[in-house]
Amino acid sequence: MKKFLVLGSLAAALLVTGCSQVGGVNSGADANLRNAGQQGHPGLRDNFVSVEERIEYVDSYLQSVFFDFDRFVIRADMQSVVDSDAEMLTSVSAAPLSVRIEGNTDEWGTDEYNYALGLKRAVAVKEALIAKGVDSAKTVLVSYGESKPTCTAKTRECWAENRKVTFKMLP
């Protein structure tokens, strides 16, 4: 009977405390969750040394939203990205910050057309984020059109890489 009591107590202690080390080394994900003080999205961290550290942290979790050629409607496969970005932007980590929503295009079309298309993409993402709870007053829109490509090769894959909305956190 004592064996069952001791083993049961040991098992209960392990379940309550959990295991935060893998192979004797703390993983970064475990550290983020401990900083968050709860399980789930790592964006719930709130202990930053500086505004720059907070901005870098939030920026590292935001993902680009990609678009089809000549389109500004958010693709179905990008909805989970928008959901994740909205979760980060409404988290305690991003609370005092604003976000610049940056529309980008490929090189096809006139400069004027591409700036307009980039802005339409940024507006579409902003509206989707607001629908998920992001504060409109903490957003800034900008269109770079084709002027800030991340890929410059003359290939379909490269052009597709430039059809997106990116984010930049602001103090």
Side-chain angles (χ1 to χ4, degrees), residues 136-149:
S136 176
K138 294 201 170 260
T139 63
V140 177
L141 296 178
V142 65
S143 175
Y144 291 119
E146 64 187 76
S147 67
K148 284 184 76 173

Side-chain angles (χ1 to χ4, degrees), residues 48-126:
F48 298 95
V49 175
S50 66
V51 172
E52 291 79 18
E53 181 186 5
R54 182 181 295 271
I55 287 172
E56 184 178 322
Y57 181 81
V58 175
D59 271 342
S60 73
Y61 283 101
L62 295 174
Q63 303 171 66
S64 297
V65 179
F66 291 91
F67 291 83
D68 289 330
F69 176 75
D70 200 31
R71 300 281 186 250
F72 58 91
V73 175
I74 297 172
R75 300 184 330 210
D77 66 321
M78 289 285 105
Q79 192 56 55
S80 63
V81 171
V82 172
D83 294 346
S84 177
D85 289 344
E87 186 177 351
M88 173 54 80
L89 292 171
T90 57
S91 73
V92 67
S93 296
L97 303 174
S98 294
V99 62
R100 183 172 59 221
I101 303 169
E102 305 171 337
N104 298 274
T105 67
D106 59 29
E107 63 189 59
W108 296 99
T110 65
D111 288 345
E112 296 81 13
Y113 178 83
N114 285 334
Y115 280 108
L117 181 57
L119 184 59
K120 289 177 183 179
R121 289 174 175 171
V123 167
V125 171
K126 176 183 177 176

